[in-house]
Coordinates of all heavy atoms in Angstrom, one line a residue:
L11 N -152.9 -237.6 -97.0 CA -152.8 -238.0 -98.4 C -151.6 -239.0 -98.5 O -151.8 -240.0 -99.2 CB -152.5 -236.8 -99.3 CG -153.6 -235.7 -99.4 CD1 -153.0 -234.5 -100.1 CD2 -154.8 -236.2 -100.1
L12 N -150.6 -238.7 -97.9 CA -149.4 -239.6 -97.9 C -149.7 -241.0 -97.3 O -149.4 -242.0 -97.9 CB -148.3 -238.9 -97.1 CG -146.8 -239.3 -97.3 CD1 -146.0 -238.1 -97.0 CD2 -146.5 -240.4 -96.3
R13 N -150.4 -241.0 -96.2 CA -150.7 -242.2 -95.5 C -151.7 -243.1 -96.4 O -151.4 -244.3 -96.5 CB -151.4 -241.9 -94.2 CG -151.8 -243.1 -93.4 CD -150.5 -244.0 -93.1 NE -150.8 -245.1 -92.3 CZ -150.3 -245.4 -91.2 NH1 -149.5 -244.6 -90.6 NH2 -150.7 -246.5 -90.5
V14 N -152.7 -242.5 -96.9 CA -153.6 -243.2 -97.8 C -152.9 -243.8 -99.0 O -153.1 -245.0 -99.3 CB -154.8 -242.3 -98.3 CG1 -155.6 -243.0 -99.3 CG2 -155.7 -242.0 -97.1
F15 N -152.0 -243.0 -99.6 CA -151.3 -243.5 -100.8 C -150.4 -244.6 -100.4 O -150.4 -245.6 -101.2 CB -150.5 -242.3 -101.4 CG -149.8 -242.7 -102.7 CD1 -150.5 -242.7 -103.9 CD2 -148.5 -243.1 -102.7 CE1 -149.9 -243.1 -105.1 CE2 -147.9 -243.4 -103.9 CZ -148.6 -243.4 -105.1
E16 N -149.7 -244.5 -99.3 CA -148.8 -245.6 -98.9 C -149.6 -246.9 -98.6 O -149.2 -248.0 -98.9 CB -148.0 -245.2 -97.7 CG -146.8 -244.3 -98.1 CD -145.9 -244.0 -96.9 OE1 -146.3 -244.1 -95.7 OE2 -144.7 -243.7 -97.2
D17 N -150.7 -246.7 -97.9 CA -151.6 -247.9 -97.6 C -152.1 -248.6 -98.8 O -152.2 -249.8 -98.9 CB -152.7 -247.5 -96.7 CG -152.3 -247.1 -95.2 OD1 -151.1 -247.4 -94.9 OD2 -153.1 -246.6 -94.5
V18 N -152.5 -247.8 -99.8 CA -153.1 -248.4 -101.0 C -152.0 -249.1 -101.9 O -152.2 -250.1 -102.4 CB -153.8 -247.3 -101.9 CG1 -154.1 -247.8 -103.3 CG2 -155.1 -246.8 -101.2
T19 N -150.9 -248.4 -102.0 CA -149.9 -248.9 -103.0 C -148.8 -249.8 -102.3 O -148.2 -250.6 -103.0 CB -149.1 -247.7 -103.6 OG1 -148.4 -247.0 -102.6 CG2 -150.1 -246.8 -104.3
G20 N -148.5 -249.6 -101.1 CA -147.4 -250.3 -100.4 C -146.1 -249.7 -100.7 O -145.0 -250.1 -100.3
A21 N -146.1 -248.6 -101.5 CA -144.8 -247.9 -101.8 C -144.4 -246.9 -100.7 O -145.3 -246.3 -100.1 CB -145.0 -247.2 -103.2
H22 N -143.1 -246.7 -100.5 CA -142.7 -245.7 -99.5 C -142.6 -244.4 -100.2 O -142.0 -244.2 -101.2 CB -141.3 -246.1 -99.0 CG -140.7 -245.1 -98.1 ND1 -139.8 -244.2 -98.5 CD2 -141.0 -244.8 -96.8 CE1 -139.5 -243.4 -97.5 NE2 -140.2 -243.8 -96.4
V23 N -143.3 -243.4 -99.6 CA -143.3 -242.0 -100.2 C -142.2 -241.2 -99.5 O -142.2 -241.1 -98.2 CB -144.7 -241.4 -100.0 CG1 -144.7 -239.9 -100.4 CG2 -145.8 -242.2 -100.7
R24 N -141.4 -240.6 -100.3 CA -140.3 -239.8 -99.8 C -140.7 -238.3 -99.6 O -140.2 -237.6 -98.8 CB -139.1 -239.9 -100.8 CG -137.9 -239.3 -100.4 CD -136.9 -239.4 -101.5 NE -136.0 -238.3 -101.4 CZ -135.0 -238.2 -100.5 NH1 -134.8 -239.2 -99.7 NH2 -134.2 -237.2 -100.5
D25 N -141.6 -237.9 -100.5 CA -142.1 -236.5 -100.5 C -143.5 -236.5 -101.1 O -143.8 -237.3 -101.9 CB -141.1 -235.6 -101.3 CG -141.3 -234.1 -101.0 OD1 -142.1 -233.8 -100.1 OD2 -140.6 -233.3 -101.6
C26 N -144.2 -235.5 -100.7 CA -145.6 -235.3 -101.2 C -145.8 -233.8 -101.3 O -145.6 -233.0 -100.4 CB -146.6 -235.9 -100.2 SG -148.3 -235.6 -100.6
I27 N -146.3 -233.4 -102.5 CA -146.6 -232.0 -102.7 C -148.0 -231.8 -103.3 O -148.3 -232.5 -104.2 CB -145.5 -231.4 -103.7 CG1 -144.1 -231.5 -103.1 CG2 -145.9 -229.9 -104.1 CD1 -143.0 -231.1 -104.1
V28 N -148.7 -230.9 -102.7 CA -150.1 -230.7 -103.2 C -150.0 -229.4 -104.1 O -149.6 -228.4 -103.6 CB -151.1 -230.5 -102.1 CG1 -152.5 -230.2 -102.6 CG2 -151.1 -231.7 -101.2
D29 N -150.3 -229.5 -105.3 CA -150.3 -228.4 -106.2 C -151.6 -227.7 -106.1 O -152.7 -228.1 -106.5 CB -150.1 -228.9 -107.7 CG -150.0 -227.7 -108.7 OD1 -150.2 -226.6 -108.3 OD2 -149.6 -228.0 -109.8
K30 N -151.6 -226.6 -105.4 CA -152.8 -225.8 -105.0 C -153.5 -225.3 -106.3 O -154.7 -225.0 -106.2 CB -152.5 -224.7 -104.1 CG -151.8 -225.1 -102.8 CD -152.8 -225.8 -101.9 CE -152.1 -226.1 -100.5 NZ -152.9 -227.0 -99.7
N31 N -152.8 -225.0 -107.4 CA -153.4 -224.5 -108.6 C -154.4 -225.4 -109.2 O -155.4 -224.9 -109.7 CB -152.3 -224.1 -109.6 CG -151.4 -223.0 -109.1 OD1 -151.9 -222.1 -108.3 ND2 -150.1 -223.0 -109.4
N32 N -154.1 -226.7 -109.3 CA -155.0 -227.6 -109.9 C -155.4 -228.8 -109.1 O -156.1 -229.7 -109.6 CB -154.4 -228.1 -111.3 CG -153.1 -228.9 -111.0 OD1 -152.8 -229.3 -109.9 ND2 -152.4 -229.1 -112.1
G33 N -155.0 -228.8 -107.8 CA -155.5 -229.9 -106.9 C -154.8 -231.2 -107.1 O -155.1 -232.2 -106.5
T34 N -153.8 -231.2 -108.0 CA -153.0 -232.5 -108.2 C -152.1 -232.7 -107.0 O -151.5 -231.8 -106.4 CB -152.2 -232.3 -109.5 OG1 -153.0 -232.1 -110.6 CG2 -151.4 -233.6 -109.7
V35 N -151.9 -234.0 -106.7 CA -151.0 -234.4 -105.6 C -149.9 -235.2 -106.3 O -150.1 -236.1 -107.1 CB -151.7 -235.4 -104.6 CG1 -150.7 -235.7 -103.5 CG2 -152.9 -234.7 -104.0
V36 N -148.6 -234.7 -105.9 CA -147.4 -235.3 -106.5 C -146.8 -236.1 -105.4 O -146.5 -235.6 -104.3 CB -146.5 -234.2 -107.0 CG1 -145.2 -234.9 -107.5 CG2 -147.1 -233.4 -108.1
F37 N -146.5 -237.4 -105.7 CA -145.8 -238.3 -104.7 C -144.5 -238.6 -105.3 O -144.4 -239.0 -106.5 CB -146.6 -239.6 -104.5 CG -147.9 -239.3 -103.7 CD1 -149.1 -239.4 -104.4 CD2 -147.9 -239.1 -102.4 CE1 -150.3 -239.2 -103.8 CE2 -149.1 -238.9 -101.7 CZ -150.3 -238.9 -102.4
I38 N -143.4 -238.5 -104.5 CA -142.1 -238.9 -104.9 C -141.8 -240.2 -104.1 O -141.8 -240.1 -102.9 CB -141.0 -237.8 -104.5 CG1 -141.4 -236.4 -105.1 CG2 -139.6 -238.3 -105.0 CD1 -141.5 -236.3 -106.5
V39 N -141.7 -241.3 -104.8 CA -141.5 -242.6 -104.2 C -140.0 -242.9 -104.1 O -139.2 -242.4 -105.0 CB -142.3 -243.7 -104.8 CG1 -143.8 -243.4 -104.7 CG2 -142.0 -243.9 -106.3
S40 N -139.7 -243.8 -103.2 CA -138.3 -244.2 -103.1 C -137.8 -245.0 -104.3 O -138.6 -245.6 -105.0 CB -138.1 -245.1 -101.8 OG -138.4 -244.4 -100.7
P41 N -136.5 -245.0 -104.6 CA -136.0 -245.7 -105.7 C -136.5 -247.2 -105.8 O -136.5 -247.9 -104.7 CB -134.5 -245.7 -105.5 CG -134.2 -244.4 -104.7 CD -135.4 -244.4 -103.8
G42 N -136.8 -247.6 -106.9 CA -137.3 -249.0 -107.1 C -138.7 -249.3 -106.8 O -139.2 -250.4 -106.9
Q43 N -139.5 -248.2 -106.4 CA -140.8 -248.4 -105.9 C -141.9 -247.9 -106.9 O -143.1 -248.0 -106.6 CB -141.0 -247.6 -104.6 CG -140.1 -248.0 -103.5 CD -140.7 -248.9 -102.5 OE1 -141.7 -248.5 -101.9 NE2 -140.1 -250.0 -102.2
M44 N -141.5 -247.5 -108.1 CA -142.4 -246.9 -109.0 C -143.5 -248.0 -109.5 O -144.7 -247.7 -109.5 CB -141.7 -246.4 -110.2 CG -142.5 -245.6 -111.2 SD -143.1 -244.1 -110.4 CE -143.3 -243.1 -111.8

Side-chain angles (χ1 to χ4, degrees):
L11 297 170
L12 198 148
R13 181 59 180 241
V14 169
F15 186 80
E16 284 187 335
D17 287 349
V18 167
T19 65
H22 176 261
V23 176
R24 187 185 151 77
D25 196 5
C26 176
I27 298 170
V28 179
D29 186 347
K30 302 287 185 192
N31 294 328
N32 62 14
T34 300
V35 182
V36 177
F37 293 102
I38 309 298
V39 297
S40 294
Q43 304 257 307
M44 190 67 153

